[in-house]
Amino acid sequence: MQTRTKAEWRAYSLQRRDMLPAEERRARSEQICNRMIRSAWTAAMQERNSRPTVLVYWPFRSEVDIRPFVTWAWKQSWNVAAPRVDRSLATMSFYQIKEPGDLRLGAYGIMEPDLAQPLLSREESADLIIVPGAAFDRRGNRIGYGGGYYDKKFEQLLHAGDKAGKHPLRVAPAFELQVFERLPVEQHDMSVDVIVTENEEIKPCS
């Protein structure tokens, strides 16, 4: 049997995700957000820090809609930051947001913080990163959308975290149909610590 390439896995998984009816995506997204809110790692994070810092994405197209989780985090007085992309440098930086009105249409048609919002100057101080992706496997491997933005950010935060003695927990919300037994990975691909689906929480390192 011919083995799929990363690009083929990406296309296959996104096609499966796109085929979910909008109402089904909404319901499954709420299940995922509720599972994240009730998780042991969320509770532990709040015990360690009354105002954790979380780096989030803003949902685009058929991605898991994490807005219920973001709204919950705001109500808990968490520090929430979302990414702005610099396409010329192929990098992204995180800016603090306190409400949906802090976002504007940005690169790739994705909602991004406007430049009036404060830049999160020490991203390595984040407690949690909510990571989007096209496909995941049960070992924690991730296939992104091909731009490499999150892989570069993970590597940057890893080096900064080594110096600071702290690494953010990397959590990937995903529909069950995006999770496979094993995906092809390359040396620069960074993995996630936890995958949360509508049916289970997968901890590859546990």
Side-chain angles (χ1 to χ4, degrees), residues 20-195:
L20 271 178
E23 188 59 26
E24 184 74 12
R25 282 202 302 270
R26 185 197 63 77
R28 294 190 189 196
S29 292
E30 285 189 0
Q31 290 176 311
I32 291 168
C33 287
N34 288 335
R35 191 177 292 276
M36 290 165 61
I37 290 168
R38 297 194 307 265
S39 70
W41 45 266
T42 299
M45 203 168 295
Q46 286 190 294
E47 285 181 11
R48 292 194 305 268
N49 185 350
S50 61
R51 294 195 66 197
T53 296
V54 54
L55 311 184
V56 303
Y57 68 87
W58 204 255
F60 180 63
R61 292 181 178 165
S62 61
E63 286 181 328
V64 173
D65 186 348
I66 63 165
R67 286 176 293 182
F69 177 82
V70 174
T71 298
W72 175 85
W74 279 329
K75 289 179 179 178
Q76 307 303 308
S77 298
W78 285 24
N79 297 310
V80 177
R84 274 186 67 91
V85 165
D86 185 330
R87 295 180 69 170
S88 64
L89 298 175
T91 60
M92 66 181 182
S93 302
F94 284 83
Y95 291 74
Q96 293 175 274
I97 56 172
K98 296 183 178 179
E99 58 180 31
D102 292 340
L103 297 137
R104 300 288 183 272
L105 195 63
Y108 303 103
I110 300 171
M111 298 298 286
E112 297 182 335
D114 64 45
L115 288 173
Q117 307 313 313
L119 176 68
L120 188 65
S121 58
R122 295 187 66 247
E123 294 172 343
E124 71 275 10
S125 68
D127 300 280
L128 172 66
I129 307 177
I130 307 298
V131 187
F136 303 89
D137 71 18
R138 302 187 73 85
R139 297 166 178 248
N141 295 313
R142 168 187 177 271
I143 292 178
Y145 298 111
Y149 290 98
Y150 274 89
D151 288 326
K152 292 174 186 175
K153 182 58 64 177
F154 285 169
E155 185 175 8
Q156 176 187 338
L157 293 178
L158 183 65
H159 291 318
D162 286 342
K163 294 178 181 178
K166 177 182 178 180
H167 293 108
L169 184 71
R170 301 189 295 261
V171 175
F175 300 118
E176 192 78 21
L177 53 76
Q178 292 178 258
V179 181
F180 304 92
E181 198 60 39
R182 189 164 187 176
L183 295 172
V185 293
E186 298 173 12
Q187 187 173 4
H188 65 270
D189 292 328
M190 302 295 279
S191 62
V192 297
D193 302 306
V194 183
I195 302 166

